[in-house]
Amino acid sequence: MTTRPDWALCRHCRAVVYAKRLARNHGVCPQCGGCFPLTAQEWLDLLADPESLRPLDFDVPAGDPLGFADGVPYAQRLAQARHATGMAEAVLCARLSIVDTPVVVAAMDFRFMGGSLSAAVGETVTRAAETALADRLPLVIVTASGGVRMQEGVVGLMQMAKTAQAMQALDDAGLVTACVLTDPTYGGVAASYAMLGDVVIAEPGARFGFAGPRVIAQTIKQELPPGFQTAEFLLERGFVDLVAPRAQLRERLGRVLSVGARRDTAANLCPAEQVVIRDPEQVPELDPWEAVRRARHLGRPTTAEYFRMILDDFEELHGDRVGGDCPAIVGGIGRLGREPVVVIGHQKGHTPAELAAHNFGMPNPAGYRKAARLMRLAAKWGLPVVTLVDTPGAYPGVDAELQGQATVIAETLRLMGALPVPLVTVVTGEGCSGGALAIAVADRVLIMENAIYTVISPEGCAAILWKDSAAAPTAARALRVDARSLLELGVVDGVVPEPPGGAESDNNRAGTLVREAIRAELADLAARDPARLVAERRARFRRFGGDVNAAALTHPGGSQ
């Protein structure tokens, strides 16, 4: 950005923008939507509720541990930066509230020696984290940095470990952390606290990485892909949760903080409609092959549609933080009534294009890693987990195998078995094989009236055992895939009825039934402590195979 007293030049579209108009627009170019850098103080002002901002002055002295000089003594460069910015260092901290949630915020300023990570910056960020820990408040960090300050050498380098440990202390305490990535964020800041938030939000177009693109290009002598290291590039590859335009950032960040930081137990005072059928005799009989056909109906609500229907304040979170964002698994946070929850589910679609975009609901390893990450987030925040199952199975591709499909499914099964929060699963369509079970190791497993749950698709079973895929109807009946049979077997704890004509005939009513069914199960589980939840969940799955024929008789959902 090149500035004059009254005008600014947008580096994105090269438009000349009136400075006062730019200020009114929070530094966003009205021509192209590109983001101009904000100062640390401007970030604090942008995020804070009116009259909530209380600066934190930690009075951290700046040092010159190496007596460094590169033609100009380091002490002189510090003095110049202080004079130019009016700041003591490259970060400002404050207590404030964001959409009514009290927080501690540390905001970096690129104007101060490129927002570089010095001993004073590391100490200030660490003290902000310690203040959040002492006050039991969420911590929000806004990053803008070129990396570790070279003039402080290895002392600056040590700040990466120091700040990472401060973030770990907040994790251990179950406190919410959020990081906002602004342009640019590189080097030691990118490789420490910037990526350690529970939720990572990036501004559109923000550049982020460990090594800068010029360094990479010069080192490996390769042409970099389009959009390399931009926020959108990172979102697609699963490294950030969401990209939020500056005008939406405060509201969306506030939503995340509200869900993570507060649990409103008043939800338990609002009884849910009792809709779940627990007696197999009360579940309408349905030919298993007809159940398969109905479960696959393209008009049935997708998981994303159920989330929109049953949740308030839903915010989808993306990525496995390893390198992928599988579109066949969607998840995020929201409120079910007044109860904050983490939600995860398989996503299909209604049209051939939607189905292809979501890989027909067949997750790859990145999908299960994303699900596991959200489950661990739920455990840290102490929130119930709701999963919706609708998949023909995990993706059976070469890439999935090369990425460890079996390993990641096994690890997800183990994680769910030990998760110290309530877990409720609803099979809303197809529930096939380990790809379904991987997000269905729950305290309560429900199934919709016209859904199915099976070890393998009827066509696959028929091809293997009957040597004829046309025998799929026979296989479906032999596998007992329908809801009534599953309730008799004790595999599910209850059946969620569907509107006349099925969920595809009245999506809204289907959503209401699913919502009330989940609310009732969560209300029943709410009084259980973590140890009891885990013990009962393990006992639930332990009994399968102990006495197969007696399972239904000893199961709460079976006939007595």
Side-chain angles (χ1 to χ4, degrees), residues 175-496:
L175 296 173
V176 179
T177 57
C179 294
V180 178
L181 309 181
T182 75
D183 185 65
T185 299
Y186 279 109
V189 170
S192 58
Y193 54 86
M195 285 303 292
L196 294 180
D198 298 327
V199 176
V200 178
I201 304 173
E203 283 205 298
R207 293 166 293 174
F208 176 92
F210 185 58
R214 282 183 294 182
V215 173
I216 296 172
Q218 291 169 5
T219 302
I220 65 175
K221 309 299 183 184
Q222 290 182 0
E223 183 177 349
L224 301 179
F228 183 66
Q229 292 188 325
T230 62
E232 294 74 15
F233 186 92
L234 296 169
L235 179 68
E236 184 179 342
R237 284 154 182 80
F239 291 111
V240 302
D241 288 285
L242 57 100
V243 175
R246 194 171 285 173
Q248 300 175 12
L249 194 148
R250 180 176 173 276
E251 178 185 352
R252 297 180 72 177
L253 177 59
R255 183 179 302 136
V256 169
L257 295 170
S258 174
V259 170
R262 292 202 303 264
R263 295 205 61 194
D264 189 349
T265 56
N268 297 328
L269 302 177
C270 303
E273 180 183 352
Q274 297 299 317
V275 300
V276 174
I277 301 172
R278 304 189 188 277
D279 180 357
E281 296 298 324
Q282 296 179 11
V283 179
E285 290 193 52
L286 182 65
D287 178 75
W289 181 244
E290 178 62 18
V292 172
R293 293 177 63 251
R294 292 191 180 186
R296 294 172 175 171
H297 196 289
L298 292 181
R300 294 177 74 83
T302 66
T303 290
E305 289 168 338
Y306 274 120
F307 288 166
R308 288 193 292 270
M309 288 189 288
I310 71 177
L311 296 174
D312 298 314
D313 298 330
F314 175 61
E315 189 68 64
E316 184 176 356
L317 303 179
H318 290 267
D320 64 355
R321 299 276 182 91
V322 176
D325 184 36
C326 174
I329 291 280
V330 295
I333 57 177
R335 293 184 186 277
L336 188 65
R338 290 186 290 258
E339 178 76 1
V341 294
V342 170
V343 293
I344 302 162
H346 301 99
Q347 176 67 7
K348 288 183 177 178
H350 298 298
T351 66
E354 289 177 350
L355 288 165
H358 294 283
N359 203 30
F360 298 87
M362 296 185 292
N364 59 37
Y368 294 112
R369 286 196 297 266
K370 174 165 64 174
R373 183 176 79 83
L374 292 174
M375 291 175 196
R376 286 191 289 270
L377 180 65
K380 177 187 171 182
W381 290 1
L383 302 183
V385 176
V386 174
T387 68
L388 302 186
V389 170
D390 186 13
T391 181
Y395 180 58
V398 173
D399 287 347
E401 292 301 315
L402 292 175
Q403 295 167 25
Q405 185 80 289
T407 300
V408 75
I409 289 175
E411 290 176 344
T412 308
L413 295 174
R414 178 172 61 183
L415 172 65
M416 292 193 79
L419 216 61
V421 295
L423 283 158
V424 173
T425 291
V426 182
V427 182
T428 61
E430 287 185 280
C432 288
S433 80
L437 180 63
I439 63 167
V441 182
D443 302 302
R444 300 290 166 76
V445 180
L446 307 178
I447 189 168
M448 296 194 73
E449 181 181 342
N450 295 326
I452 63 168
Y453 200 5
T454 173
V455 66
I456 189 174
S457 71
E459 293 88 345
C461 178
I464 294 170
L465 298 183
W466 275 265
K467 313 300 182 186
D468 180 6
S469 60
T474 302
R477 296 177 189 111
L479 289 168
R480 299 182 68 185
V481 301
D482 60 292
R484 178 171 173 145
S485 295
L486 292 163
L487 186 57
E488 289 174 341
L489 289 168
V491 172
V492 300
D493 302 294
V495 176
V496 181

Side-chain angles (χ1 to χ4, degrees), residues 114-158:
S116 48
L117 178 58
S118 65
V121 169
E123 179 66 19
T124 302
V125 170
T126 299
R127 291 193 190 184
E130 290 169 348
T131 300
L133 181 62
D135 294 349
R136 306 293 300 176
L137 293 176
L139 175 68
V140 176
I141 302 179
V142 182
T143 64
S145 177
V148 174
R149 191 169 299 171
M150 290 180 289
Q151 291 89 340
E152 296 193 11
V154 73
V155 176
L157 184 68
M158 294 301 105

